[in-house]
Amino acid sequence: MTTATTSTTQPGRRSGREPLLAVEDLRVTFGSRTSRTVTAVDGVSFDVAPGETVGLVGESGCGKSVTSLAVMGLLPARGAQVAGSVRFDGEELLTLSPQRMAEKRGAEMAMIFQDPLSSLNPVVPIGVQVTEVLERHRGMKGGAARKRATYLLERVGIPDPTRRLSDYAHQLSGGMRQRALIAMALACEPRLLIADEPTTALDVTIQAQILALLNELVSESGTALVMITHDLGVVAGLCSTVNVLYAGRVVERADRHPLFATPRHPYTGGLLASIPRLDEERGRRLVPVPGSVADNIPWEEGCAFAPRCPNAGDRCEAETPALVPDRGVRDPRLLRCHYPLAGDRTEEDA
Amino acid sequence: MTSTAVGTDILLEARNLKVHFPIKRGIVLDRTVGYVYAVDGVGLRIRRGETYGLVGESGCGKSTLGRALLRLEPLTDGEVHFDGTDLSGLKGGKLRQQRRHMQMVFQDPLGSLDPRQTVEQLLLEGMRAHGLTKGRDVRARLVELMEQVGLPRAALTKYPHEFSGGQRQRVGIARALSVEPQLLIADEPVSALDVSVQAQVINLMEDLQEDLGLTYLVIAHDLAVVRHISDRIGVMYLGAIVEEADADSLYEVPLHPYTRALMSAVPIPDPTVEDTREQILLAGDLPSPADPPSGCRFHTRCPWRQPTRCDDERPELRVPDVAAVATGAGDARPHRVACHWAEEIFRGEITPKRVTATDTVALETDGLGPVAEHPSPPEADEDVPPVHGG
């Protein structure tokens, strides 16, 4: 279909759309030089363009949340070593002074966290927390700020916003809290929004409301959205490009349609086979991914997933696989695997 | 799970079960100022050998119901019969004896296992309490339990913190099995686990049911999981079952508006399905169970709400006049729904009110169109792979 000459192009990088956020070879290590260090993020790269939703998918411990904290400059300076490059609109963020970074956070880039109750200040009314952002970044004051805060709460679907301004976090339901958090994140119309498991703590009907809201924001205001989740269902509906993370590294990256149609990494395939689907015939035996992350081997010694992998062969515990363009499928895709699952590309295609 | 082993005899039956928690005010007088109607009139029957799934969102009373069936919560009203015995009047030793036959598996295995006991100690504790250690080869029994839940023998000498989440849930299941129960009540057994590990525990539960002839009551919020493992499903909303049916019937012919909304909200891990999935968005949140709405409890959020009956008449759980569902004749069990307008909604004579993503407040400006379907991402129409480079 497309000329296969530029197969090294990363999926998700649409022609003509410059990335707003470019993360390259991000590496986050915890612990000091004297003690044992843990590498939480191990050379992760991805791009996000305006109006695009990029998913980071993986299970607990895969490094998806640490990646987002590193991008936002929210990791503690002591204890966490961040290397690599994070460019926002061409500007390197990792070398930015804490003051400059604080100016960007909330104004140009914002984040939504999983647990809205612990992300909101319990002793300050919601309204004050929203106007605070506006005062800090936009210099708005008094009535103007309150008016804008009312609008924002209304925008995210909080009923009776004028009254809600004086409510405290504990007076709101889980869904309302998450909406308030989104209102705060949107206060200054950020160009980049990072949502870290924004619906995991919510009920499924409330999740549907929040996802519809996020989707609307991306398509209407061209916000770039990084969606961090463990839920493949959420990814399937929301993300244009999906990065599957395992043990701190991207193991597969593709656009959402081909990724779900032909998963190539055994971990991606394993995740899909292990979850029951609401719309499938009953009676299927689930295929679990054997073992747990505790069985991993270090990436330096081979593929971290090898001990759990049904496809593992001789090379897996001897040679570390690299993230390279995948020639086994028709779509542009990056894959880190020696023995991938069957692709959709035949000999004639190649 | 396997419907072949399901008999027709009822192992557990609840009749008009109510659990109301008093809301107290004041220090000296300790006045009761109201009640939380956590479970408010639930009747259900679980057949021997089947899996009954109880699904609903947080605050719907499903966990309280599960605990009330074991008499772990005081019953305000109603009866619980287990294997022919009325549990509601039992006390002390008699109740404890019955509890041996009905065990619970909790959501958070770390929180429900004593951190200072080894697996062996915590398994033996229950066995001793029920006199299952006398005159038996206890060691062999412990090893058998470990084998049944797929843990190595060496796990017996370990403490709960030494296990991963999935292994801990296996310990939790072994603890429940140690007293040879007939019924397992599993409250969110997999929701604290990583997705790849959830399947291990679900498969284990299926295998154990087959091998040991267990009956399950599985309480969960994840409809996909519940549909996968259950033979029969009850959907709860604000303290009552609003729809009950066999798993396939519920999925194929959902009749209650809440069931429909719940199902339409579950994301499917398939982009092609997601792009066309029609979603029924509900307005607002769950009302407080301390002050439930009058009439049908769902009427405040129901897109199909009608001007009559819904607001003031509480619907009974009944077999609707819909040809597509089982009426309960013969051996088949009925599909029941608590909605005044189930037939009209099924036939499409009543149409739902559309709710938008930013609803419950009408926005005049903003240009927000109604979200009729699941809104597709901006590039969803690009079926072809994107053109790169040149």
Side-chain angles (χ1 to χ4, degrees):
Chain A
M1 131 122 316
T2 53
T3 44
T5 48
T6 51
S7 58
T8 48
T9 321
Q10 288 186 9
R13 193 172 273 177
R14 306 283 188 288
S15 52
R17 272 213 248 176
E18 277 305 303
L20 178 69
L21 178 76
V23 176
E24 261 183 67
D25 199 24
L26 185 70
R27 196 173 299 273
V28 182
T29 314
F30 291 104
S32 63
R33 281 185 194 85
T34 48
S35 66
R36 207 169 63 93
T37 59
V38 175
T39 307
V41 178
D42 199 1
V44 165
S45 309
F46 66 94
D47 294 344
V48 196
E52 186 188 26
T53 302
V54 169
L56 301 184
V57 193
E59 298 178 286
S60 39
C62 74
K64 55 193 195 297
S65 291
V66 175
T67 301
S68 63
L69 292 174
V71 169
M72 293 296 287
L74 288 173
L75 287 171
R78 276 162 183 261
Q81 281 120 43
V82 184
S85 156
V86 177
R87 282 196 314 278
F88 180 77
D89 206 9
E91 189 181 11
E92 178 59 52
L93 295 185
L94 292 185
T95 53
L96 223 53
S97 72
Q99 289 74 24
R100 286 277 297 128
M101 197 60 207
E103 282 166 28
K104 286 207 175 299
R105 256 196 317 263
E108 291 183 64
M109 46 206 289
M111 188 157 173
I112 309 167
F113 297 90
Q114 172 175 351
D115 179 8
L117 191 57
S118 57
S119 318
L120 290 167
N121 190 333
V123 295
V124 174
I126 297 296
V128 176
Q129 297 188 55
V130 181
T131 49
E132 190 182 18
V133 186
L134 297 164
E135 285 163 11
R136 167 81 174 74
H137 291 292
R138 289 285 158 94
M140 289 172 104
K141 286 209 174 64
R146 278 185 72 82
K147 208 174 152 203
R148 169 90 181 144
T150 315
Y151 164 79
L152 286 164
L153 293 188
E154 194 174 19
R155 175 78 180 83
V156 296
I158 294 183
D160 201 359
T162 328
R163 194 169 61 84
R164 289 293 182 193
L165 284 177
S166 50
D167 274 1
Y168 292 88
H170 74 270
Q171 292 170 294
L172 302 178
S173 67
M176 286 300 151
R177 277 179 213 141
Q178 196 57 282
R179 283 165 194 261
L181 209 61
I182 296 177
M184 283 168 64
L186 298 180
C188 297
E189 294 166 345
R191 296 154 72 197
L192 173 71
L193 188 61
I194 300 182
D196 187 356
E197 303 268 12
T199 58
T200 307
L202 304 177
D203 276 321
V204 62
T205 57
I206 308 297
Q207 164 171 290
Q209 296 171 355
I210 300 289
L211 292 180
L213 176 66
L214 288 175
N215 225 334
E216 206 177 271
L217 288 171
V218 171
S219 52
E220 282 180 13
S221 33
T223 313
L225 178 63
V226 178
M227 186 76 186
I228 295 169
T229 180
H230 70 280
D231 189 332
L232 290 166
V234 169
V235 172
L238 202 66
C239 302
S240 38
T241 310
V242 186
N243 296 276
V244 182
L245 269 74
Y246 192 80
R249 293 193 182 186
V250 174
V251 293
E252 185 165 12
R253 168 182 314 158
D255 289 347
R256 66 183 175 125
H257 280 280
L259 182 79
F260 283 84
T262 33
R264 286 277 282 166
H265 198 284
Y267 177 63
T268 316
L271 281 182
L272 284 170
S274 69
I275 46 175
R277 277 173 62 155
L278 185 61
D279 63 341
E280 73 187 353
E281 282 276 307
R282 289 180 64 244
R284 173 175 79 98
R285 176 92 172 162
L286 300 179
V287 187
V289 180
S292 72
V293 285
D295 302 319
N296 290 351
I297 60 168
W299 279 112
E300 291 72 30
E301 292 170 19
C303 174
F305 185 60
R308 303 177 67 191
C309 182
N311 259 27
D314 310 336
R315 288 168 69 196
C316 298
E317 298 204 19
E319 187 187 329
T320 306
L323 188 67
V324 290
D326 177 14
R327 299 187 189 285
V329 284
R330 293 198 184 102
D331 63 293
R333 186 182 305 212
L334 296 180
L335 183 67
R336 186 191 296 280
C337 183
H338 294 308
Y339 305 105
L341 305 175
D344 59 1
R345 191 176 199 154
T346 54
E347 286 302 312
E348 296 112 66
D349 287 329
Chain B
M1 300 186 181
T2 45
S3 46
T4 46
V6 179
T8 49
D9 61 327
I10 306 295
L11 182 66
L12 182 79
E13 179 174 10
R15 292 182 200 150
N16 193 30
L17 204 65
K18 289 184 184 172
V19 181
H20 298 171
F21 297 110
I23 306 169
K24 305 263 192 189
R25 279 278 155 74
I27 299 157
V28 184
L29 292 173
D30 207 20
R31 286 175 303 134
T32 299
V33 294
Y35 290 94
V36 173
Y37 301 93
V39 177
D40 200 19
V42 167
L44 58 83
R45 289 171 160 200
I46 303 175
R47 287 183 182 181
R48 195 183 297 275
E50 82 171 342
T51 300
Y52 190 101
L54 208 51
V55 71
E57 297 181 289
S58 48
C60 74
K62 56 188 192 299
S63 292
T64 307
L65 175 58
R67 294 172 57 85
L69 292 173
L70 292 183
R71 291 271 324 269
L72 292 172
E73 299 288 353
L75 306 182
T76 309
D77 195 11
E79 290 174 15
V80 179
H81 293 261
F82 179 80
D83 208 7
T85 314
D86 184 0
L87 297 185
S88 23
L90 292 186
K91 276 186 198 151
K94 285 242 164 61
L95 182 60
R96 266 200 301 281
Q97 277 174 18
Q98 283 299 322
R99 283 209 186 111
R100 189 197 130 192
H101 302 298
M102 35 211 298
Q103 286 291 308
M104 196 138 184
V105 175
F106 296 93
Q107 170 175 1
D108 175 13
L110 193 56
S112 54
L113 300 173
D114 185 344
R116 293 174 302 178
Q117 285 190 322
T118 62
V119 171
E120 178 168 344
Q121 286 169 329
L122 60 88
L123 291 178
L124 280 173
E125 192 175 32
M127 290 162 70
R128 278 204 193 97
H130 289 290
L132 296 172
T133 49
K134 292 187 197 106
R136 288 207 201 180
D137 189 348
V138 173
R139 185 75 205 163
R141 174 68 182 142
L142 290 174
V143 171
E144 184 190 32
L145 279 169
M146 287 296 102
E147 278 168 6
Q148 279 174 344
V149 299
L151 286 174
R153 217 172 268 216
L156 284 169
T157 55
K158 289 189 178 173
Y159 290 89
H161 74 266
E162 295 178 82
F163 296 98
S164 69
Q167 289 172 322
R168 248 177 241 146
Q169 196 55 292
R170 287 173 193 269
V171 175
I173 293 172
R175 190 203 53 73
L177 293 179
S178 66
V179 295
E180 300 157 28
Q182 299 178 53
L183 173 75
L184 274 196
I185 297 188
D187 191 354
E188 301 278 9
V190 297
S191 54
L193 306 176
D194 264 327
V195 258
S196 68
V197 181
Q198 285 188 5
Q200 296 175 9
V201 173
I202 291 173
N203 285 353
L204 171 68
M205 287 183 67
E206 286 181 343
D207 294 344
L208 289 171
Q209 183 168 46
E210 193 137 313
D211 296 347
L212 305 174
L214 293 168
T215 307
Y216 288 149
L217 173 66
V218 176
I219 300 166
H221 71 281
D222 187 332
L223 200 50
V225 168
V226 168
R227 175 164 186 261
H228 177 85
I229 62 177
S230 307
D231 300 304
R232 196 158 170 83
I233 298 174
V235 181
M236 274 189 91
Y237 186 80
L238 268 190
I241 290 180
V242 295
E243 186 164 3
E244 185 189 58
D246 288 345
D248 282 328
S249 183
L250 187 82
Y251 175 72
E252 280 150 25
V253 200
L255 292 172
H256 197 281
Y258 179 63
T259 314
R260 289 181 163 216
L262 199 61
M263 273 190 188
S264 80
V266 177
I268 309 281
D270 183 339
T272 319
V273 176
E274 281 295 288
D275 287 350
T276 53
R277 180 160 64 95
E278 204 173 315
Q279 228 176 326
I280 304 162
L281 287 181
L282 292 180
D285 286 305
L286 195 76
S288 164
D291 183 21
S294 61
C296 172
R297 293 182 164 188
F298 188 56
H299 84 253
T300 53
R301 301 171 78 196
C302 182
W304 282 271
R305 174 190 175 189
Q306 294 300 300
T308 56
R309 300 186 77 189
C310 294
D311 296 11
D312 47 24
E313 191 185 329
R314 192 169 173 189
E316 294 275 319
L317 200 58
R318 65 189 174 92
V319 179
D321 185 15
V322 172
V325 301
T327 55
D331 200 26
R333 280 175 299 171
H335 188 132
R336 298 193 296 165
V337 61
C339 174
H340 296 305
W341 305 98
E343 289 86 353
E344 287 82 354
I345 293 169
F346 175 75
R347 292 195 293 264
E349 290 162 19
I350 303 176
T351 46
K353 184 174 138 282
R354 290 291 184 200
V355 173
T356 67
T358 44
D359 211 20
T360 61
V361 276
L363 299 184
E364 296 126 51
T365 52
D366 250 8
L368 296 178
V371 185
E373 280 120 44
H374 186 69
S376 21
E379 65 290 291
D381 49 341
E382 293 176 26
D383 261 344
V384 289
V387 183
H388 292 285

